[in-house]
Amino acid sequence: MTRYLRVLGLFWGTAIAAELEYRVNFILAALSSLGNLLGSLFTLFLFYRTGYSFQGWKWEEALVVLGVFTLLQGFSSTFLVPNLNRIVRQVQDGTLDFVLLKPISSQFWLSARSVSPWGLPDLIFGLVLVGYTGTRLGIKTSDYALAAVPIVFGLGILYSLWFMLGATSIWFVKIYNVTEVLRGLLEAGRFPMVAYPTAYRFFFTFIVPVAFLTTVPAEAMLGRVEIGWVIGAGVLALGLFLVSIGFWRFALRFYTSASS
């Protein structure tokens, strides 16, 4: 474990140093994140401006969901996109060979090799939005601590789904569109699940588990989540992580190296 932490520090140190050579990009990323957040707020405002509200969700409570979604988006941009989208290019170029020859877990290397500071604005805006709504709603520190548990589970679920999609590039090579489809489906997490018809709620809970990414953590933060949903999120996160490990090992059986 110590060796992996030391390697992770080296990975992220070099990645951040390289990215900071283009500091203007951070300003552009911040403006882009702010624009996306304002667009989401405007969309949500269109629902609530006439007195309409999602069943059981006041305006400030719906903002909590949007804040959690923004945090999730920041996590994706910071840790997932710069790493897992590269799997496709490494398979195409044959550079995956060099990863497999290293004396370290190839899944760890592919998942943690890089980090992008351009996702930090989303993380900051998400924290600000959650903090603002928490102040308005009187959310306690204990509620934030409780919500951290399903949020971590949600991050694990998102990572596992993204990694498994990336692993399919061994068969299909060009799967950029598939990852974009996943990102598009995750956009449903901007709003509480009750905003969607019953069939969509079922799909976004049991097929593509978007509900576990945003709605469940938001309900935990609001102090009204059922413990069964939190346990379910934990079981799903652990299960998908183990499946991702097995799926990667299975996929490598079909990988043809660039030198063979």
Side-chain angles (χ1 to χ4, degrees):
M1 180 60 69
T2 303
R3 181 167 69 100
Y4 276 86
L5 290 175
R6 186 168 60 251
V7 170
L8 188 64
L10 293 172
F11 280 168
W12 288 3
T14 55
I16 292 174
E19 292 288 350
L20 289 181
E21 293 181 8
Y22 309 95
R23 298 179 185 179
V24 176
N25 287 351
F26 184 81
I27 299 175
L28 296 177
L31 292 174
S32 176
S33 298
L34 181 60
N36 288 334
L37 180 58
L38 291 176
S40 299
L41 288 170
F42 178 71
T43 303
L44 195 61
F45 172 74
L46 292 179
F47 285 102
Y48 282 86
R49 67 185 180 88
T50 58
Y52 171 85
S53 62
F54 300 130
Q55 183 180 0
W57 291 84
K58 298 186 297 184
W59 163 254
E60 290 84 359
E61 294 172 339
L63 288 180
V64 173
V65 178
L66 181 57
V68 174
F69 172 82
T70 306
L71 285 172
L72 197 73
Q73 198 169 45
F75 172 80
S76 300
S77 300
T78 303
F79 300 103
L80 300 186
V81 173
N83 286 298
L84 302 187
N85 281 3
R86 290 184 180 180
I87 298 176
V88 180
R89 187 165 66 250
Q90 288 170 327
V91 172
Q92 286 179 312
D93 299 341
T95 54
L96 183 60
D97 293 10
F98 302 110
V99 177
L100 298 177
L101 291 173
K102 297 182 184 300
I104 196 172
S105 166
S106 58
Q107 182 169 350
F108 171 80
W109 197 99
L110 292 169
S111 302
R113 176 62 184 85
S114 185
V115 63
S116 174
W118 316 136
L120 292 179
D122 276 327
L123 290 172
I124 294 171
F125 292 146
L127 288 172
V128 170
L129 186 56
V130 168
Y132 166 76
T133 52
T135 302
R136 295 286 300 272
L137 294 170
I139 296 177
K140 302 176 182 178
T141 303
S142 58
D143 294 324
Y144 285 120
L146 177 61
V149 176
I151 287 176
V152 171
F153 291 155
L155 298 179
I157 292 169
L158 181 60
Y159 160 77
S160 298
L161 291 174
W162 207 306
F163 184 82
M164 285 189 285
L165 278 179
T168 60
S169 61
I170 288 179
W171 292 284
F172 306 113
V173 185
K174 296 183 179 181
I175 60 161
Y176 291 109
N177 291 337
V178 176
T179 56
E180 288 303 314
V181 168
L182 175 61
R183 293 179 70 173
L185 290 173
L186 295 176
E187 291 289 322
R190 293 178 184 269
F191 311 114
M193 283 297 105
V194 295
Y196 302 98
T198 304
Y200 287 88
R201 287 183 227 168
F202 180 86
F203 178 81
F204 287 126
T205 302
F206 300 105
I207 307 300
V208 181
V210 177
F212 292 102
L213 304 182
T214 56
T215 300
V216 171
E219 288 185 327
M221 198 175 298
L222 296 170
R224 64 189 192 195
V225 70
E226 296 180 11
I227 190 63
W229 285 105
V230 177
I231 294 174
V235 171
L236 182 61
L238 178 60
L240 285 176
F241 179 70
L242 294 176
V243 169
S244 73
I245 294 174
F247 186 74
W248 176 242
R249 292 174 179 172
F250 173 74
L252 287 178
R253 297 179 185 176
F254 298 89
Y255 174 66
T256 302
S257 71
S259 58
S260 63

